[in-house]
Amino acid sequence: QDQLQQKIVCPGPVTCLTASPNGLYILAGVAESIYLWEVSNGNLLAILNRHYQDLTCLCFTDDSSHFLSGAKDCLALVWNLYSVLQAEPSQIPDPRHVWSRHSLPITDLCCGFGGPLARAATASLDQTAKLWEISSGELLLSVLFDVGIMAVTLDLSEYHMFCGGMDGSIFQVDLCAWPVQRDRTFQTERENGKVFKGHRNQVTCLSVSTDGSLLLSGSHDETVRLWDIQSKQCLKTMNHKGPVTNAFIVLAPANMFNPDGKPSVPLPKFSKHLHGTESNDEQGSEGVTLRLGLHQQESGESYLEKAEKMYSQMYSTREKNLVGDQEHLTIQVSELEEEVSTLRKINKNLFDFSARIITKPAK
């Protein structure tokens, strides 16, 4: 049986949750606050209070340098992760951008590729989906629909934006359509070939496969559907016993089909308070203690040792698949050593030849 490794008690109902692509940080939306934890030690690093109503969605950029937050206050905020981490405890860091062009609550966020140069899409109950540029914060595109939009995603090449509506329809918006217009209206009757029809209730989540051929959608009609994007045909329907709130396509990890590939390192318990005050005996201390290298006291392994051990176990299977077995590695090393030896000989001959030319007496 699958067992829950760690129970984390939060100060309220969690409305949205996401992890950074590099696996180092966890973000959670609790009421109108954003909580940021470090995975390796469970420390609560920041509580951000810049929204005025409950959070609805959170997402990271692909390089984990920025994250976006959307809420019922109609605002979407762009945060620089390192600015948040470096902020003083007494200060609330400012977001890099505040996007306030929506007139009703934000329902979903999606971030493309490119780190801080990426484009981001927002969906809202105001019947629009908008495309933004993270670096400048400018609005690139606004598409108006007939219904409120509950979910949005981009394909890998960012040629298309897919939007899920409250009536169960899924709309495909061409981002490279000509002429280029910042404000566009999606008219369903004219663009019938760009609508996926099959869900009977609001679409809550969308995900595109890496090759851009398949679309996965979840809905409150208690089904998950897999679509062929080219033909708009439903390939498979998976029934559930309640409304589907989230579904996405992921690449299978290297140890997914390994029977021994079970997580062996439980995550530390996530702290409830900032700066470790719940476990700190000195109430007046506001500093952060770092232990570098070996630690000889009875408290056990240092943070660096624990982190190194955890990451080595996490990536051991992937490294085996990529590099190969020990024999293959030994052969590779010996071949490289031979090549280095040959290059050293060539370098020595070139040096001797050059020295003779330079030191040769003139006639």
Side-chain angles (χ1 to χ4, degrees):
Q1 289 183 346
D2 294 331
Q3 295 182 351
L4 186 67
Q5 282 197 7
Q6 185 67 58
K7 185 177 181 181
I8 302 165
V9 179
C10 293
V14 177
T15 54
C16 48
L17 185 72
T18 190
S20 62
N22 60 16
L24 299 180
Y25 303 99
I26 291 283
L27 280 175
V30 179
E32 67 274 4
S33 301
I34 304 170
Y35 286 72
L36 173 66
W37 282 282
E38 188 172 6
V39 172
S40 59
N41 54 22
N43 287 344
L44 179 59
L45 302 178
I47 302 175
L48 306 174
N49 296 296
R50 285 300 299 264
H51 283 284
Y52 305 105
Q53 294 185 36
D54 291 357
L55 269 290
T56 56
C57 43
L58 290 163
C59 73
F60 272 95
T61 56
D62 60 330
D63 67 344
S64 305
S65 66
H66 291 72
F67 61 90
L68 286 70
S69 61
K72 292 181 179 179
D73 58 6
C74 316
L75 297 178
L77 307 182
V78 181
W79 303 85
N80 184 313
L81 176 63
Y82 304 110
S83 298
V84 171
L85 295 177
Q86 292 170 2
E88 293 294 329
S90 59
Q91 295 179 344
I92 300 176
D94 292 323
R96 181 173 176 182
H97 300 300
V98 178
W99 293 335
S100 56
R101 300 288 290 272
H102 285 289
S103 57
L104 284 175
I106 307 288
T107 54
D108 198 15
L109 289 167
C110 173
C111 192
F113 283 85
L117 302 177
R119 298 185 295 179
T122 58
S124 171
L125 292 177
D126 64 6
Q127 302 185 1
T128 66
K130 300 183 188 294
L131 193 68
W132 310 80
E133 188 176 57
I134 292 180
S135 58
S136 66
E138 288 186 9
L139 176 64
L140 302 177
L141 175 68
S142 178
V143 185
L144 177 64
F145 299 89
D146 299 331
V147 295
I149 303 300
M150 303 301 297
V152 65
T153 192
L154 301 166
D155 64 355
L156 218 59
S157 59
E158 298 184 25
Y159 278 2
H160 304 291
M161 180 169 65
F162 299 91
C163 307
M166 290 193 71
D167 63 349
S169 299
I170 302 170
F171 310 101
Q172 177 181 316
V173 179
D174 294 334
L175 299 180
C176 300
W178 191 262
V180 178
Q181 296 175 311
R182 178 173 291 185
D183 296 296
R184 198 188 305 177
T185 301
F186 190 96
Q187 297 178 341
T188 307
E189 61 276 3
R190 290 187 184 178
E191 307 188 63
N192 200 30
K194 297 177 183 177
V195 181
F196 301 80
K197 295 182 178 179
H199 284 298
R200 300 182 305 276
N201 206 332
Q202 68 181 43
V203 177
T204 56
C205 49
L206 294 168
S207 179
V208 182
S209 62
T210 51
D211 62 355
S213 65
L214 300 174
L215 175 69
L216 187 75
S217 62
S219 170
H220 275 192
D221 64 6
E222 304 183 0
T223 65
V224 171
R225 290 176 179 263
L226 191 65
W227 308 83
D228 178 69
I229 292 178
Q230 188 67 31
S231 65
K232 308 294 184 291
Q233 296 298 311
C234 181
L235 304 177
K236 189 174 183 180
T237 301
M238 292 155 275
N239 294 303
H240 292 262
K241 295 181 179 179
V244 177
T245 56
N246 204 2
F248 50 90
I249 299 173
V250 293
L251 292 173
N255 64 342
M256 182 175 179
F257 302 106
N258 181 5
D260 300 324
K262 295 181 180 178
S264 57
V265 182
L267 296 177
K269 188 174 181 180
F270 282 17
S271 57
K272 300 178 186 177
H273 304 286
L274 281 171
H275 318 303
T277 53
E278 60 182 2
S279 59
N280 194 352
D281 295 330
E282 301 178 10
Q283 298 296 328
S285 174
E286 294 184 356
V288 178
T289 304
L290 294 178
R291 293 180 294 166
L292 303 177
L294 295 175
H295 192 66
Q296 302 297 335
Q297 297 180 7
E298 297 179 358
S299 56
E301 294 178 305
S302 69
Y303 158 67
L304 292 179
E305 290 171 328
K306 288 181 181 178
E308 185 178 354
K309 182 179 177 183
M310 184 174 76
Y311 289 126
S312 64
Q313 293 191 18
M314 282 171 60
Y315 291 109
S316 60
T317 307
R318 183 180 296 177
E319 287 174 0
K320 285 177 184 175
N321 286 356
L322 293 175
V323 177
D325 56 9
Q326 193 64 33
E327 259 183 77
H328 183 58
L329 185 59
T330 307
I331 294 170
Q332 281 184 325
V333 170
S334 62
E335 288 176 352
L336 289 171
E337 285 177 347
E338 288 178 13
E339 189 176 349
V340 168
S341 174
T342 306
L343 290 172
R344 278 178 177 164
K345 288 178 183 177
I346 294 171
N347 189 49
K348 185 177 183 302
N349 292 337
L350 282 171
F351 177 79
D352 292 341
F353 176 75
S354 302
R356 284 199 304 271
I357 294 293
I358 292 170
T359 58
K360 187 176 179 180
K363 291 182 180 179

